[in-house]
């Protein structure tokens, strides 16, 4: 497993694309705060200068390419015709993706901190920010909620990529899931209105993740579940999506 | 003892039999040519051996260890180049070798391998693989197949895109490694090249093995033929036929393949006053033999 990880990291660090993504992740919050005066606020800082949107998009692309690229380059055969099991190879891809997500967050965090220093220096992250807690705590929650949402979308993207062996469709769907929240929200509301059991639909669970941290009663009114139930359903969906993606990857003849 | 054993392996796609009870062996130090027409099952067989594809029945073992779709620990000592080289566009040749060498504790020496596979020149250097020509990628693909010091190397169309000098050098490298005990399973449509290289042949058609033999045995049924140019080829042809030798006029030459020995033919021509201007010996030809064999196999179906 260590060898596989070493190989995955080696391939990743040799791609100039990775550095571009990281640089953009750093620049994005900085640029947002520099360009938009309305974003020079504590709200913007705890939201990583809206850099989470960029991190999300880049993470989805990384996920989609992690396997489809091996098919595209024709490197999938040597990757699979080795002593390692497909489970280990799949896991090494997931771990690399996770590492890239975290690196993107670190870059966005550094960009945000520089932006804060330059444009929102008066804002103190140690001070109580809202009902949740200090600026640091809210920022931490934003990080966790975004990461949980990324895992969710990444699972879906990985599943689609494995089904169609191409990243295009998967990236498209991922982008819709990220930027089309109002559409998803409407679809989910319609489904639940049609049949209350459909409150378990994945869109609703996904939307519930974005609202984690909201006061309990308000949360329940919107999502129709408690936060713990959403988290449990999230884990089940995650297992289903990653499990299905793995099974397709495992069974595929190349 | 055979290093690779393929025993009675079958694979079916719907109604089509991609592998139909395929059996053959590859011994250490042997170069085996897997030949057949397009769609005969060569790549499918190679993919089954490298664990890339499941098979419905039979058994594949390497060095006594089984190889299946889900269990392929044995692949540690098998290098392969199947269909096209596995190249990451952003890596240099050396970086590719480093990447694939991470798999093993005993990789080949990079510099020596790069020299032997001719990926050490200025053309390679720090250039990324996306800038490589087809031939350069092919040579790198071969180097990748050899980097882990494999006991068996599986090469599918290894001469693709290579210039004549590179083909010659590749042949020499494969022979050198085979002499050191490395086994090779090679498929190629360049049968003349294959004929110069392989020790044994496995001929496959419609997913079925129709012949396995050493090269010597394969050609043993071919009598040596001669091409003659004489002062009167028409008279020479008539004379040959009158002696009941199988003779034809081929590309302006008199081709004789029914005589017992060359001296017998020369004497007959001299006695008839025919002046011989050129003699060419035609030995067994893999391409011709293969085509004859496939034609017979197709007739039999």
């Amino acid at each position: 497993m260590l060898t596989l990880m070493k190989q995955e990291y080696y391939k990743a660090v040799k791609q100039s694309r990775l550095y571009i993504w990281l640089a953009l992740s750093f620049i994005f919050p900085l640029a947002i705060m520099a360009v938009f005066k309305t974003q020079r606020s504590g709200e913007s800082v705890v939201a990583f200068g809206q850099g989470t949107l960029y991190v999300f998009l880049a993470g989805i692309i990384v996920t989609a390419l992690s396997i489809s690229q091996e098919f595209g380059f024709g490197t999938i055969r040597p990757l699979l015709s080795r002593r390692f099991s497909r489970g280990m190879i799949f896991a090494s891809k997931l771990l690399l993706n996770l590492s890239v997500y975290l690196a993107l967050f670190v870059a966005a965090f550094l960009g945000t901190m520089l932006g804060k220093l330059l444009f929102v220096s008066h804002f103190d992250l140690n001070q109580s920010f809202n009902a949740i807690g200090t600026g640091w705590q809210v920022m931490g929650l934003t990080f966790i909620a975004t990461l949980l949402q990324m895992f969710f979308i990444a699972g879906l993207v990985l599943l689609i990529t494995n089904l169609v062996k191409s990243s295009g469709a998967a990236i498209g769907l991922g982008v819709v899931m990220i930027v089309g929240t109002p559409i998803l929200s409407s679809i989910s509301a319609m489904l639940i209105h049609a049949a209350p059991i459909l409150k378990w639909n994945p869109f609703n669970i996904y939307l519930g993740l974005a609202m984690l941290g909201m006061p309990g009663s308000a949360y329940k009114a919107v999502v129709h579940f408690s936060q713990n139930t959403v988290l449990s359903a999230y884990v089940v969906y995650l297992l289903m999506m990653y499990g299905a993606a793995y099974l397709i990857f495992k069974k595929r003849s190349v | 003892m055979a290093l690779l054993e393929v025993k009675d392996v079958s694979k079916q796609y719907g109604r089509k039999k991609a592998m139909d009870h395929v059996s053959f062996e590859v011994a250490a130090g042997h170069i085996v040519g897997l030949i057949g027409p397009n769609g005969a099952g060569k790549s499918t067989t190679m993919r089954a051996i490298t664990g890339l594809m499941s098979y419905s029945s039979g058994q594949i073992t390497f060095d006594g260890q089984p190889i299946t779709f889900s269990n392929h620990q044995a692949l540690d000592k098998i290098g392969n180049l199947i269909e096209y080289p596995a190249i990451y566009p952003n890596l240099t040749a050396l970086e590719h070798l480093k990447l694939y060498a991470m798999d093993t504790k005993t990789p080949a020496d990079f510099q020596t391998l790069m020299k032997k596979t001719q990926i050490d020149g200025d053309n390679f250097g720090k250039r990324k693989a996306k800038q490589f020509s087809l031939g350069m990628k092919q040579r790198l693909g071969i180097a990748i197949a050899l980097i882990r010091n494999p006991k068996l190397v599986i090469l599918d169309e290894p001469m693709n895109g290579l210039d004549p000098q590179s083909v010659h050098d590749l042949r020499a490298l494969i022979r050198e490694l085979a002499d050191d005990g490395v086994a090779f399973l090679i498929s190629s449509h360049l049968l003349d090249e294959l004929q110069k290289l392989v020790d044994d042949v496995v001929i496959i058609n419609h997913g079925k093995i129709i012949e396995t033999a050493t090269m010597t045995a394969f050609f043993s049924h071919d009598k040596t033929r001669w091409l003659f140019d004489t002062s009167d080829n028409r008279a020479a042809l008539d004379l040959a036929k009158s002696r009941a030798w199988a003779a034809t006029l081929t590309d302006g030459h008199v081709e004789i393949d029914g005589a017992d020995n060359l001296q017998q033919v020369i004497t007959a021509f001299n006695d008839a006053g025919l002046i011989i201007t050129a003699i060419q010996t035609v030995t067994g030809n893999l391409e011709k033999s293969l085509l004859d064999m496939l034609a017979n196999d197709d007739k039999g179906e």
Side-chain angles (χ1 to χ4, degrees), chain A residues 3 6-7 10-11 14 70 73-75 77-78 80-84 86 250-254, chain B residues 47 50 52-53 69 72-73 75-76 80 83-84 86-91 95 98-99 102-103:
Chain A
T3 305
K6 270 167 64 184
Q7 286 182 318
Y10 188 80
K11 284 187 275 183
K14 292 290 176 184
E70 301 284 0
F73 294 160
T75 46
R77 285 184 179 160
L80 300 181
S81 62
R82 299 185 295 173
R83 66 179 194 276
F84 306 107
R86 291 197 179 195
K250 189 182 171 194
K251 298 276 178 197
R252 189 181 291 285
S253 291
V254 294
Chain B
R47 285 164 58 213
T50 48
L52 293 171
M53 190 197 75
F69 186 60
H72 36 74
Q73 285 284 324
L75 293 179
D76 196 30
N80 72 71
E83 287 187 16
Y84 40 77
I87 305 291
Y88 291 98
N90 286 305
L91 301 186
E95 285 167 350
K98 285 181 179 171
L99 173 73
M102 285 179 198
D103 270 16

Side-chain angles (χ1 to χ4, degrees), chain B residues 5 37 40 55 149 192 263:
Chain B
E5 288 181 272
Y55 46 90
N149 272 330
D192 289 346
Q263 187 55 51

Side-chain angles (χ1 to χ4, degrees), chain A:
Chain A
M1 190 67 196
L2 195 63
T3 305
L4 282 170
M5 285 310 302
K6 270 167 64 184
Q7 286 182 318
E8 287 302 323
Y9 283 120
Y10 188 80
K11 284 187 275 183
V13 298
K14 292 290 176 184
Q15 292 194 58
S16 45
R17 192 173 57 200
L18 177 70
Y19 302 104
I20 294 169
W21 281 338
L22 291 176
L24 286 176
S25 191
F26 176 79
I27 293 166
F28 193 93
L30 202 57
I32 290 285
M33 284 190 245
V35 174
F36 303 103
K37 285 187 177 169
T38 53
Q39 293 296 320
R40 295 174 185 176
S41 63
E43 283 80 6
S44 179
V45 172
V46 297
F48 290 83
Q50 314 308 331
T52 48
L53 181 68
Y54 173 79
V55 170
F56 217 145
L57 281 169
I60 295 313
I61 296 170
V62 167
T63 306
L65 291 179
S66 62
I67 288 179
S68 67
Q69 201 168 249
E70 301 284 0
F71 282 99
F73 294 160
T75 46
I76 191 74
R77 285 184 179 160
L79 191 68
L80 300 181
S81 62
R82 299 185 295 173
R83 66 179 194 276
F84 306 107
S85 72
R86 291 197 179 195
M88 287 166 80
I89 292 166
F90 189 77
S92 69
K93 292 280 181 195
L94 293 187
L95 287 172
L96 175 76
N97 290 348
L98 176 62
S99 308
V100 177
Y101 303 162
L102 295 175
L104 287 166
F105 266 115
V106 169
F109 173 76
L110 294 175
T112 306
M113 288 300 107
L114 184 60
K116 178 189 167 303
L117 193 72
L118 295 175
F119 307 109
V120 205
S121 55
H122 60 275
F123 177 61
D124 184 359
L125 280 159
N126 295 312
Q127 294 290 311
S128 174
F129 180 75
N130 60 17
I132 294 168
T134 64
W136 285 119
Q137 286 168 324
V138 176
M139 210 173 180
L141 191 67
T142 305
F143 163 70
I144 290 168
T146 310
L147 200 59
L148 291 180
Q149 281 180 285
M150 279 180 81
F151 289 154
F152 194 87
I153 305 287
L156 191 64
V157 164
L158 211 55
L159 180 60
I160 306 281
T161 308
N162 271 286
L163 271 174
V164 299
K165 290 195 287 184
S166 148
S167 53
I171 292 173
L173 181 70
V175 170
V176 167
M177 294 281 284
I178 297 163
V179 299
T181 307
I183 303 169
L184 296 181
S185 182
S186 304
I187 294 172
S188 182
M190 279 192 296
L191 289 172
I192 296 169
H193 183 72
I197 188 77
L198 292 179
K199 65 183 178 182
W200 293 100
N201 79 73
F203 297 140
N204 193 39
I205 303 303
Y206 171 70
L207 293 168
L209 290 173
M211 295 177 205
L212 285 177
M214 213 181 194
S217 54
Y219 188 88
K220 200 158 187 173
V222 179
V223 187
H224 307 280
F225 289 119
S226 69
Q227 297 192 14
N228 283 341
T229 310
V230 164
L231 284 174
S232 303
Y234 164 79
V235 171
V236 172
Y237 270 115
L238 221 56
L239 289 174
M240 281 165 57
M241 287 188 296
Y242 283 92
Y246 168 61
L247 281 178
I248 295 167
F249 182 73
K250 189 182 171 194
K251 298 276 178 197
R252 189 181 291 285
S253 291
V254 294

